[in-house]
Amino acid sequence: MTRKKRANGVESRQRILDATVEIAGERGYEGTSIAAVSAKCGLPASSIYWHFKDKDDLIAAVIERSFETWLAAVELPGEETGTPLERVTAMATNVAKSLVDAPDFLRLGLMLALERRPTEPRGRTVFLQVRDIATQKITEVAGTVFPDLDEDAVRTLTTYAVAGADGLFVHREIHGDAVDLVAMFELHAQLVCDAAGRMASRSKR
Amino acid sequence: MTRKKRANGVESRQRILDATVEIAGERGYEGTSIAAVSAKCGLPASSIYWHFKDKDDLIAAVIERSFETWLAAVELPGEETGTPLERVTAMATNVAKSLVDAPDFLRLGLMLALERRPTEPRGRTVFLQVRDIATQKITEVAGTVFPDLDEDAVRTLTTYAVAGADGLFVHREIHGDAVDLVAMFELHAQLVCDAAGRMASRSKR
DNA sequence: ACATTGCTGTAGTGTTTACTCCAGTTGGAA
DNA sequence: TTCCAACTGGAGTAAACACTACAGCAATGT
C-alpha cells in the first residue's frame, strides 16, 4: 500500500476544483465547459477525466468541497448561554460572516436548485442533501432555544429563518459588497425571535 | 398600413416564447439551445431568428414577457384602508398568490441574477431593472404605510421584505407544491410590521 | 395582375462541446 | 535495476452548438 498518494495528484485535483468553482459560479452548470476549466487550471482535459468520471461528477465534487469549506467557516456557536435573542443573533452573525467568506457553496447550490431539468444533475442532489442536514441541525437548535414551541412551530420558524438567509444572501449577490450582510442578519435574528415569542404565547392560550 | 399584422406571426412569437420560458426554467441560460426551443414549439430555427435577433435577445424577451405576466397576476392592492398590518398582509398575500400562479419571472430572473459572467446577458440586465422598479414601488408603499419611519429605515425594511419574498419563493421552488406560500408570506408580513414598529419606537426616543 | 411583405422550410456554415485513446514520464516499491 | 501505478500531453471524434443564406409560399395593398 502507498502511504503517500503522490503529491502532485492531490494538488492537481485541488487546482481543477478551484478552476471549476470559479467558472461554475460565473456561468452555471451548462456553462461550465471542460475546455474552460482546463484553460483556467492549466491541466489538459485528460487530467480532469483522470480525476473525475465526467462533468456531472466534477460539479458534484465541487459542491461537496465548497460545502466543507463553508462548514469550516461557520464554526458553530460556542455554548448554550445567554438569552434566546443573544443566542440566535450569535448564530445569525456567524452564518452571515461565513457566507461572506465562503459564498461559493450557497451561490452554486442555489443556481443548481433553481434548475429543474428532467435528469437531475448529481450536484443538485448533493446540495439538497447537505442543505437538508443543515436545516435539521437548525431545527434542533431552535427546539432547545425555544423549548415552549411545539414541533410544527419550530419547523415553521426554521423554514422562515433559512428562507430569510437565502433571500438576504441573494440580495448581497445582486447588490455586491456594499451590502452589510451581518447587519441584515442581525435584524433577521431579531424578527425570528419575535416570531418565536408570538408563537409561544399563542400556543399557551 | 396593415390593420392586422398577419395572424400567424404574433402567434408564432408567443409559441416560441412559451417554449423558451419552459426550457430556460429547466436548464438555465446556457442550457437553453435554439434546437430544443425549435423542437418544442415546432417552428424551425430560421423562424426563431426572424422574430429575435439572437439567443440573448430571445431570453431578454422571455424575461420581459414573464414580468408582464407576473405584474398582471399581482393586481396591486385596492385602496389605502385598514391597519398597517392588514395592508401589508394583503399585499403579501397578493404577491404570494402571484408567485404561485406566475413563477417563471422570478425563477428565471433569480437564475440569471446569480450568474456573474464577464459579459452580462441582456436578460439579466432587464431582470435587475424591473426588479429595481418593483422594489422602488414597495419602498413608496412602505413609506405611506409607516409614515413614522425615516428614509433609511424604510429602505432597510423594503430590502428585508423583498429578501424574505425571494427566500420563501426559493423554498417553494425546492420543496414543491406542498409548501403553503401564502401562509409563509402572512407570517413574513407580520414580522415586517413588527420590525417597523420596533424601528419607529427607536427613532422616536 | 402584380409586386410586396411576413413568415416558413431546407440545408447548410464554422466552432465548441463532452469525452476518449494512448503514448509518454516520473516517483517510489521490490 | 526493474516494474508498476499515478499522472500528463497531445491528438482526435462525433455530436451539438449558435447562427446564416436563401428559396418558397400565402396573404395583402395597389
Side-chain angles (χ1 to χ4, degrees), chain B residues 118-132:
Chain B
T119 64
E120 167 164 326
R122 249 191 67 213
R124 195 184 121 111
T125 315
V126 170
F127 171 71
L128 293 182
Q129 277 171 358
V130 299
R131 183 185 165 90
D132 250 30

Side-chain angles (χ1 to χ4, degrees), chain A residues 76-191:
Chain A
L76 311 172
E79 267 320 289
E80 308 128 21
T81 57
T83 68
L85 176 59
E86 281 168 2
R87 290 169 67 183
V88 172
T89 303
M91 206 164 153
T93 304
N94 270 342
V95 172
K97 279 185 195 156
S98 73
L99 288 178
V100 171
D101 293 342
D104 294 319
F105 167 63
L106 193 52
R107 167 167 55 231
L108 240 172
L110 287 181
M111 287 169 75
L112 289 177
L114 284 171
E115 297 185 2
R116 306 144 32 256
R117 66 187 71 197
T119 64
E120 166 164 326
R122 250 192 66 213
R124 195 184 121 112
T125 315
V126 170
F127 171 70
L128 294 182
Q129 277 171 359
V130 298
R131 182 185 165 90
D132 249 30
I133 293 171
T135 303
Q136 214 171 318
K137 284 228 167 165
I138 296 175
T139 308
E140 281 168 31
V141 173
T144 69
V145 174
F146 305 111
D148 293 347
L149 297 181
D150 60 81
E151 230 179 275
D152 250 25
V154 169
R155 242 199 309 277
T156 302
L157 206 67
T158 304
T159 297
Y160 186 80
V162 171
D166 288 338
L168 291 171
F169 176 77
V170 167
H171 178 70
R172 192 191 140 95
E173 286 294 305
I174 291 176
H175 291 94
D177 295 341
V179 175
D180 186 349
L181 202 61
V182 173
M184 290 308 295
F185 265 66
E186 267 169 29
L187 172 60
H188 185 41
Q190 188 131 167
L191 297 197

